Amino acid sequence: MAAAVELVERRVPVTVFEASRTLGGRARRVDVNGLALDNGLHILIGAYCETLRLLATVSGGLPTGLLRQPLDLHVLGKFRLRTAPLPAPLHLATALLRAQGLGIAERLRAAQWISRLRATNFRLDSDVSVAQLLARHRQGARALRHLWEPLCMSALNTPPESASAQVFLNVLRDSLNGRREDSELLLPTTDLSALFPEPAARYVEQHGGQVLRGTPVSSLRVDDQRLLVHTAAGSTPFSHAICALPPYRVAEVLGGVPALAGITRAVERLTYEPIYSVYLQYQDPLRLPQAMFGLAGGIAQWVFDRGALCGQHGLVGVVISGSGRHQDLAQETLVAAVHAELCAHFPQLREPLWSRVIAEKRATFSCVVGVERPSQRTPARNVYLAGDYTASDYPATLEAAVRSGVACARMILESA
Ligand SMILES: Cc1cc2nc3c(=O)[nH]c(=O)nc-3n(C[C@H](O)[C@H](O)[C@H](O)COP(=O)(O)OP(=O)(O)OC[C@H]3O[C@@H](n4cnc5c(N)ncnc54)[C@H](O)[C@@H]3O)c2cc1C
């Protein structure tokens, strides 16, 4: 959708083929019990500059549907890091030096590490794992447990033992080390389909493009100089194609293009990490301390108050990133475990009225050291690749996906 918006804005006619009837892919609305939930609870950060720019384009002004908050990482009873209302970099230095739940030596070491990273522009000579990098810089046990490891899991959805330190540093560079606004958290106040893809589709249609929902592409073929997109309804010729599939669908659609054999093989080598979202509907009213906060020591990682965010009173959303013992539990056991963890902090909670577990088993590719991500430009003439798995400074995120789409659109515009 990012590529389509960028192209129709420059009067290039586009057709978007989308397999699902609901737009959004891995960031989409899921209707449950008459409520618009999401397949996964997402957060954006102020540094998502391309996503925010396109949100503004399609909403005709300032991006809507997001609650902007100063960075406040609060793990109940364990840790809290809040940026101060000061200009960068003081907002961060003060946050680290005042972080609750760390000893003074740990706070100093964290602040020193960030200033050393700043001196090298957050670049490593050669990539190592996040765990190795943190050990090299002697980060304290509590800083690891409550700050760096949760940040690594939230940003890269890959355990620190294998996660790419360079990609982690890219995220720190743009979020913590940028302007104060870049570190801000942006929490959706609407469902994810309504946030960007649906307004983007309206924008595309109003600018002469088409968005075909419920229309999976079965294959792309190269015939003479034309690109043929095959669907159940037949084949349609195009001058250019952007393949914006999730990585695990790329080979089946592009497998018939010989020039792309190397790329499809590389994409098939990617491995994946899960993200679980557990929704629990409690009796209204419910008072949680913040719209988003963390829990430590159990299964639940981040808790979202959908009442405060989306007006879905009494609904709590819980995120569990990465692999773990939660994957072996039956859904009702997982819900009971998450409910018990919430009750440890909020004893007034009664049994949920209903619950829903949404398990995205291939939520993101594993952003490990040395992972091979294909470029948006491919060896097949006029065929481009967009998606969060393509070459990027960023891990598998909305911003990586949007930037890749914008990059494809610009390459097409430049080639015209
Ligand atoms: C549970 C969860 C939580 C996440 N949390 C965050 C977060 O907090 N912050 C963040 O920035 N990122 C987060 N992410 C990552 C983010 O959602 C993804 O990086 C992003 O949505 C990827 O977008 P994409 O366009 O690359 O791929 P996708 O979203 O997978 O889009 C691919 C599209 O292709 C369509 N498609 C598939 N096959 C065909 C076919 N044959 N023909 C036509 N269309 C087809 C799909 O239906 C889909 O719409 C999360 C992801 C998940 C799953």
Side-chain angles (χ1 to χ4, degrees):
M1 294 311 302
V5 167
E6 196 74 3
L7 286 166
V8 293
E9 216 184 352
R10 307 289 187 290
R11 298 176 191 283
V12 177
V14 303
T15 303
V16 178
F17 294 88
E18 166 54 57
S20 171
R21 295 233 153 255
T22 309
L23 299 177
R26 278 170 283 153
R28 69 177 183 285
R29 175 176 57 246
V30 177
D31 295 306
V32 177
N33 286 346
L35 288 182
L37 308 186
D38 294 307
N39 69 309
L41 294 134
H42 280 56
I43 55 171
L44 291 78
I45 53 171
Y48 281 10
C49 49
E50 283 298 280
T51 307
L52 294 175
R53 180 179 69 77
L54 287 192
L55 271 169
T57 302
V58 300
S59 56
L62 283 176
T64 52
L66 292 169
L67 174 69
R68 213 177 228 279
Q69 295 190 326
L71 179 70
D72 183 357
L73 299 177
H74 187 189
V75 181
L76 293 191
K78 297 285 183 198
F79 175 77
R80 191 160 194 179
L81 177 108
R82 274 190 285 188
T83 51
L86 293 169
L90 292 177
H91 70 308
L92 175 65
T94 321
L96 288 169
L97 292 172
R98 286 189 190 156
Q100 295 168 18
L102 304 186
I104 179 72
E106 286 180 305
R107 282 182 266 154
L108 278 172
R109 245 178 276 150
Q112 280 164 351
W113 183 45
I114 292 290
S115 72
R116 233 174 280 142
L117 288 172
R118 201 171 282 135
T120 55
N121 200 22
F122 290 74
R123 291 298 313 167
L124 294 174
D125 290 336
S126 60
D127 203 2
V128 290
S129 74
V130 169
Q132 284 169 319
L133 185 71
L134 292 169
R136 197 184 282 171
H137 292 276
R138 297 175 41 251
Q139 294 301 292
R142 282 172 297 182
L144 292 178
R145 198 161 52 244
H146 299 311
L147 176 60
W148 303 124
E149 290 172 1
L151 272 186
C152 173
M153 281 311 294
S154 306
L156 276 65
N157 194 30
T158 305
E161 294 68 37
S162 52
S164 158
Q166 185 57 66
V167 178
F168 185 56
L169 293 189
N170 297 342
V171 177
L172 294 187
R173 178 197 64 209
D174 291 358
S175 54
L176 296 186
N177 189 52
R179 302 166 307 158
R180 181 153 54 90
E181 306 86 273
D182 295 338
S183 68
E184 288 174 346
L185 297 180
L186 283 71
L187 304 176
T189 57
T190 175
D191 70 75
L192 294 171
S193 293
L195 180 67
F196 175 68
E198 287 175 351
R202 281 194 292 278
Y203 185 91
V204 167
E205 285 158 353
Q206 282 158 8
H207 289 75
Q210 321 183 56
V211 179
L212 306 176
R213 295 165 172 84
T215 313
V217 173
S218 50
S219 65
L220 177 80
R221 304 269 161 185
V222 182
D223 167 30
D224 251 348
Q225 293 298 305
R226 295 180 317 163
L227 300 173
L228 292 175
V229 170
H230 292 272
T231 66
S235 76
T236 322
F238 290 95
S239 61
H240 297 74
I242 299 174
C243 168
L245 299 168
Y248 44 83
R249 293 267 171 269
V250 166
E252 67 195 44
V253 174
L254 298 187
V257 183
L260 298 178
I263 288 181
T264 53
R265 271 198 303 274
V267 175
E268 281 184 306
R269 285 195 290 272
L270 293 173
T271 56
Y272 296 92
E273 304 288 338
I275 301 180
Y276 280 49
S277 303
V278 182
Y279 290 93
L280 305 103
Q281 176 68 60
Y282 290 104
Q283 298 271 357
D284 191 21
L286 179 70
R287 281 194 192 287
L288 295 177
Q290 283 166 263
M292 188 197 99
F293 56 88
L295 292 182
I299 289 175
Q301 295 168 356
W302 296 102
V303 180
F304 290 71
D305 180 349
R306 294 280 287 203
L309 287 168
C310 307
Q312 296 171 331
H313 299 293
L315 184 65
V316 175
V318 172
V319 175
I320 311 164
S321 296
S323 329
R325 63 191 160 98
H326 59 281
Q327 291 173 283
D328 302 327
L329 302 179
Q331 294 208 347
E332 53 282 18
T333 317
L334 175 57
V335 169
V338 168
H339 171 64
E341 289 175 17
L342 287 167
C343 286
H345 294 275
F346 310 104
Q348 78 282 11
L349 285 180
R350 284 188 270 155
E351 283 296 311
L353 302 173
W354 55 263
S355 59
R356 176 60 64 102
V357 176
I358 303 179
E360 288 277 5
K361 297 198 170 121
R362 291 183 290 190
T364 65
F365 72 88
S366 316
C367 193
V368 295
V369 179
V371 67
E372 208 183 321
R373 298 170 74 175
S375 158
Q376 286 83 34
R377 195 184 292 282
T378 76
R381 200 160 155 265
N382 297 339
V383 179
Y384 301 85
L385 289 184
D388 60 354
Y389 69 96
T390 60
S392 174
D393 259 13
Y394 274 43
T397 49
L398 298 169
E399 180 70 3
V402 166
R403 286 189 189 183
S404 70
V406 170
C408 291
R410 293 201 174 146
M411 286 179 207
I412 291 175
L413 291 166
E414 279 159 20
S415 73

